Amino acid sequence: MSLTMTSRPSAGVERHDEILSIKQLRTTLGSRPGGVTVVDGVDLSVRRGKTLGIVGESGCGKSMLSLSVMGLVPPPCRLEGRIEFSGRNLLDVSPAEMRRIRGNRIAMIFQEPMTSLNPVLTVGFQIVEAMRAHDRKSSYEVLRRRAIEALVQVRMPAAERRFDEYPHQLSGGMRQRAAIAMALSCKPEVLIADEPTTALDVTVQAEILDLLRDLQQETNMAIVLITHDLGVVAQVADEVAVMYAGRIAEKASCDALFADPQHPYTLGLLGSIPRMDQAATRLLAIDGVVPPVASMPPGCRFHPRCVFSGQECTRQRPELTAVADGHAVACLKAPIEEGQS
Amino acid sequence: MVDYVLRRLLYTIPSLLGIVVVCFFLTRLSGDPTDLFLPIDASEEARDAFRVQYGLDKPLMEQFVAFFYKALQGDFGNSLRFGEPAISLLAERLGATIQLALATLFIAVGVGIPAGIVSAYYRNSLLDVAVRSLAAFGQAVPTFYWGVLCILIFSVWLKWLPTGGSGGLVHLILPATTLASTLVALLARVMRSTMLDVMRQDFVRTARAKGLGEFTVVMRHVARNAFIPVLTVIALQFGVLMGGVIVTETVFSWPGVGRLVIQAIYARDYPVVQAVVFFFALIFVLSNLLADILSAVLDPRVRYK
C-alpha cells in the first residue's frame, strides 16, 4: 500500500476551531476494586473539518476511547478526566442530555457493517429512527424524504429502493454506506468512525474513505478515525495519535509522523507495513504482544518490546513531550536518530 | 410471502397423513377392540357380530384404507358408548378446551415474556434472582399438584373461587393459571436467555449510538429480535399444553376435550380416542405452521429465503 499524503487547503480559524477535546481521560472497566484501566491518561483534540487518526493494535484501548466519548462504555465502569464538547464536559452531563448529543451532534459508525444494523428492520426505518430520536416534530414523510437524501448523499445505488430493503439484502459496502447515512442523518459535528473499512475489501475500502472525505468537505464535520491500518491513516488523516496499551505514544501531524517518527513503537508499526518498492524476504513485525490490561509493566508500557529501552524505561513513566511544533512523543529515549539501535 | 405460506401449508400434508396412520395402528396395537369392549364371557357369535358391525372382520389393510378414507372426511366412526359420531362429541367439547387453552396462552405470554425482559435487563439484580427462582419453582411443580394446591388454598380455605366446573370467567381463573404455571416459567427463562444473547449484538450498540432512549432500544431492538426464537418455543409448547389440558380438565372438572378423552379411554371407546388423538396432533401441526408464518412476519431473513 502506498503512503500518499494529501494536503488540504486550510480555511479560516473558525472553520477549524477545536470541537472536541479529551483531557487526561481514564476509563476503567469493572467495579471499584479489581477494575482494569483500558484508557489511561489520554489527551487528544479534534478540530472542525479535520480528521484525527487514532492508530494502534487491537486491545490498545482505541475502541474504548471512542465509546467513552459516546458515553457507551458498558457498565460497570468509571470515567475520569474531561471530555470537552462545545464548552461542556461530557462526563458531567445528565444521561438525558447525553442521549440528545449522541447520534445528533456526535455520531458513530462501527467496524462490522454485517452486524451493526438490525436485521429485522428496514434500512430506511433505521435511518428515520435515528432522525426521529432527535426530531419529534417532523412528519414521517419529511423524515423519509430526508433519509432517502442521506442515502443519495452516501452514493447508495438505487437509494429510493434501498429505503424499503433489509440489511441482508445489501452488500457489505452498501451496508456500511447505510450505516454512514444513518450516522450523518442528523448532521453531526463530530463523526467517530471505528475501523469503518476493516471488514470491507480493498476497493470498497477506498470508496468509503473517499466518501468520508467528500462528506467532510461538504459538512465541515470533524472525524475521529480509529484504525489499525497506517495506510488508511496516511490517506485521510490530518493529525495522528498512536496509541499503545491505553496511552498515547506519539501525536503529530500526519506528514510529520510519517516523515519523522519518534516513538520506537511508531517506528515498529511503520516497519511492519509491507512495501511494494522494496523486496523483503520476511515481513517485519514488532517482537512480543501487547501486555494484558490486568498486568501492565511498570514504567514505559512498551519497554519489554522495545529495542531502545534502557534501565530508566522500566521505572519511569514517560510523559508526552513536544519534540517539534505539534509533534509530541512519550518516550524517554526520544529523539531517536536514524541509524541508532 | 404468499409463496412461503403456501409452501409451509404443503409441508403440513405429509404430517397430517402420518398422524392418521399412527392413530389407526396405535389403537390396533393396544389389542383387539372386541376383547376390550365386549365382556369377557361374551359368546363367539356376539364377538363375530361385533366384528362385522365395526368392520373388524376384514383384513387389516382393508380396514386401514376404510379408516383412512373416512378420517380424511372427518369421520372417525361412532362412539361405542353413545352411538353418536365421535367427531361431534369432540366438537361439543371443543369450545371449552379452546377457551381454556387461549386463556392459558394469554396468561403465559402476558406474564412470562415481560418477566423475561425485565429479568434480562436487570440481570443479576434482586429482581432477576426473584424471577429466576420463581421460574425454577414453577417448572418444578407438576400441574396436577399445583391444581390441587390451588383448589385447597383459593377454593376451600379462602373460598374466593369455585373448585371446578364451568361458567363465567371466575371458573376459568384457577384452571388457566394452573395450566399456565409451567409455561410462564419456561417462557420467562427462554426470553431472558435470548434477550441476553441479543443484548450483546452490535446493532444494539448502534441503536444506542443513535441516541435512542433505553425503552426503545430494549423493546424495539432487543425484545423484538429475542422474541422470534421464543415464538417457536410457544408453538411447540402449545402442543405440549394439550397434554396438560387432560390433567387440568380432570382436576377442575372442566368439560373439555381432555376430560372427554380420559372418559373414553376408561370406557375403551376407541373411535373417540382416535378422534381426540388426531385432533391434538392437528393442533400441534397447526400451531407449528402458525409459528412459521409469524416468524416470517417478524423476521425478513426467513421471508426472503
Side-chain angles (χ1 to χ4, degrees):
Chain A
M1 188 172 293
S2 70
L3 304 179
T4 40
M5 308 288 164
T6 41
S7 56
R8 248 149 268 121
S10 51
V13 179
E14 309 81 40
R15 200 172 146 73
H16 294 308
D17 58 347
E18 234 170 52
I19 173 80
L20 180 73
S21 138
I22 298 166
K23 287 177 181 151
Q24 282 300 305
L25 178 70
R26 259 174 76 92
T27 302
T28 307
L29 297 182
S31 41
R32 228 151 233 282
V36 287
T37 302
V38 288
V39 176
D40 190 6
V42 164
D43 289 287
L44 282 174
S45 64
V46 206
R47 287 176 292 147
R48 286 184 200 274
K50 294 284 184 183
T51 299
L52 168 71
I54 299 178
V55 195
E57 288 167 272
S58 40
C60 74
K62 53 194 197 300
S63 288
M64 278 302 158
L65 177 68
S66 57
L67 291 179
S68 301
V69 175
M70 294 296 283
L72 289 176
V73 180
C77 64
R78 191 165 76 249
L79 278 79
E80 293 153 287
R82 296 178 67 79
I83 299 173
E84 284 167 10
F85 173 72
S86 67
R88 269 182 306 178
N89 181 5
L90 293 185
L91 298 185
D92 288 341
V93 303
S94 69
E97 186 82 358
M98 193 62 217
R99 194 189 65 72
R100 279 196 288 275
I101 294 171
R102 197 156 51 213
N104 189 23
R105 304 185 61 193
I106 306 178
M108 188 162 179
I109 52 179
F110 298 94
Q111 177 173 352
E112 281 292 336
M114 300 293 166
T115 55
S116 60
L117 299 176
N118 190 331
V120 306
L121 301 174
T122 61
V123 168
F125 181 85
Q126 294 186 62
I127 300 174
V128 167
E129 181 184 41
M131 291 188 287
R132 187 171 274 170
H134 306 286
D135 174 6
R136 299 206 174 272
K137 292 191 202 84
S138 302
S139 70
Y140 177 79
E141 256 320 302
V142 171
L143 294 179
R144 182 192 145 89
R145 222 174 35 244
R146 272 167 51 194
I148 291 171
E149 276 165 27
L151 286 172
V152 170
Q153 196 185 17
V154 299
R155 299 173 205 152
M156 176 74 87
E160 190 115 5
R161 202 179 76 219
R162 301 293 175 222
F163 184 91
D164 293 312
E165 289 192 344
Y166 290 92
H168 72 275
Q169 292 169 289
L170 307 183
S171 69
M174 287 202 281
R175 283 181 217 192
Q176 197 59 292
R177 282 175 202 276
I180 295 171
M182 201 180 293
L184 297 186
S185 60
C186 293
K187 308 207 177 351
E189 289 149 85
V190 178
L191 176 72
I192 302 174
D194 187 357
E195 305 258 11
T197 58
T198 308
L200 306 173
D201 62 57
V202 187
T203 46
V204 181
Q205 186 171 330
E207 283 171 26
I208 296 288
L209 290 177
D210 279 348
L211 173 69
L212 284 177
R213 195 163 41 199
D214 292 349
L215 291 170
Q216 180 174 47
Q217 243 142 36
E218 280 169 43
T219 61
N220 198 36
M221 65 181 169
I223 296 180
V224 179
L225 181 80
I226 292 162
T227 181
H228 66 276
D229 189 341
L230 281 168
V232 167
V233 162
Q235 273 180 63
V236 295
D238 299 291
E239 274 164 82
V240 187
V242 178
M243 256 186 108
Y244 185 79
R247 292 179 184 166
I248 301 289
E250 185 164 5
K251 198 161 67 170
S253 73
C254 192
D255 304 303
L257 190 92
F258 285 96
D260 183 24
Q262 284 296 323
H263 197 282
Y265 180 61
T266 317
L267 285 166
L269 283 182
L270 288 168
S272 40
I273 301 175
R275 292 185 52 152
M276 302 284 272
D277 54 347
Q278 283 172 9
T281 43
R282 58 184 280 266
L283 210 55
L284 284 169
I286 308 170
D287 286 332
V289 289
V290 181
V293 274
S295 57
M296 281 295 171
C300 172
R301 288 179 171 177
F302 186 60
H303 83 257
R305 300 173 72 185
C306 180
V307 289
F308 302 97
S309 71
Q311 270 297 308
E312 67 273 34
C313 299
T314 62
R315 288 188 303 266
Q316 196 186 334
R317 173 180 172 161
E319 296 301 331
L320 212 52
T321 340
V323 288
D325 193 29
H327 190 161
V329 63
C331 177
L332 298 171
K333 294 289 189 179
I336 289 162
E337 300 302 330
E338 220 160 307
Q340 188 183 338
S341 121
Chain B
M1 184 68 196
V2 176
D3 214 49
Y4 174 82
V5 172
L6 284 178
R7 206 166 50 226
R8 296 303 317 172
L9 214 54
L10 279 178
Y11 288 161
T12 61
I13 292 172
S15 316
L16 290 178
L17 294 182
I19 291 159
V20 177
V21 174
V22 170
C23 247
F24 176 82
F25 287 103
L26 217 57
T27 329
R28 287 301 185 280
L29 276 178
S30 66
D32 185 350
T34 321
D35 293 334
L36 289 171
F37 203 70
L38 292 185
I40 294 172
D41 55 356
S43 65
E44 204 48 48
E45 292 82 54
R47 284 169 185 274
D48 285 341
F50 183 86
R51 289 200 178 99
V52 172
Q53 189 189 346
Y54 291 98
L56 298 170
D57 54 335
K58 301 201 178 76
L60 194 62
M61 279 324 286
E62 202 175 309
Q63 284 183 45
F64 172 67
V65 171
F67 171 80
F68 192 83
Y69 183 68
K70 282 186 165 174
L72 287 186
Q73 297 168 316
D75 180 5
F76 288 87
N78 288 347
S79 160
L80 301 181
R81 214 152 43 109
F82 303 105
E84 284 176 58
I87 202 79
S88 48
L89 284 173
L90 176 70
E92 258 169 47
R93 305 291 196 92
L94 201 57
T97 296
I98 287 176
Q99 200 183 10
L100 179 62
L102 289 183
T104 302
L105 202 64
F106 184 76
I107 294 172
V109 173
V111 178
I113 298 299
I117 293 175
V118 167
S119 178
Y121 189 72
Y122 298 104
R123 66 189 165 284
N124 300 329
S125 69
L126 217 59
L127 194 66
D128 179 30
V129 172
V131 169
R132 275 153 66 196
S133 310
L134 277 174
F137 184 74
Q139 274 197 297
V141 178
T143 312
F144 60 85
Y145 182 75
W146 222 187
V148 174
L149 199 68
C150 283
I151 291 178
L152 189 65
I153 296 173
F154 296 104
S155 306
V156 179
W157 291 348
L158 297 171
K159 298 194 187 340
W160 286 352
L161 297 164
T163 55
S166 66
L169 209 59
V170 281
H171 290 86
L172 198 57
I173 296 172
L174 274 189
T177 42
T178 301
L179 194 53
S181 64
T182 40
L183 195 53
V184 168
L186 179 74
L187 292 185
R189 289 176 52 165
V190 177
M191 189 67 188
R192 178 182 182 274
S193 72
T194 52
M195 283 282 292
L196 290 178
D197 279 347
V198 177
M199 263 152 50
R200 276 196 295 270
Q201 307 258 325
D202 287 348
F203 64 78
V204 177
R205 192 182 51 189
T206 309
R208 289 210 170 90
K210 286 190 223 177
L212 298 180
E214 274 303 289
F215 187 78
T216 314
V217 171
V218 170
M219 295 312 288
R220 191 185 290 161
H221 289 273
V222 183
R224 195 188 149 150
N225 281 280
F227 188 65
I228 298 167
V230 176
L231 197 63
T232 312
V233 175
I234 294 175
L236 287 173
Q237 287 301 313
F238 195 73
V240 176
L241 200 67
M242 289 298 128
V245 158
I246 297 176
V247 177
T248 312
E249 288 187 352
T250 307
V251 171
F252 291 98
S253 9
W254 186 262
V257 178
R259 214 151 59 107
L260 174 72
V261 73
I262 284 289
Q263 286 161 350
I265 289 168
Y266 286 147
R268 289 155 188 182
D269 193 352
Y270 76 91
V272 175
V273 176
Q274 280 173 336
V276 174
V277 168
F278 180 78
F279 168 73
F280 279 176
L282 184 72
I283 293 279
F284 204 93
V285 170
L286 289 183
S287 59
N288 274 293
L289 174 71
L290 193 66
D292 281 345
I293 293 171
L294 282 179
S295 68
V297 170
L298 288 177
D299 190 343
R301 288 165 297 180
V302 175
R303 201 151 68 217
Y304 289 97
K305 229 171 244 169

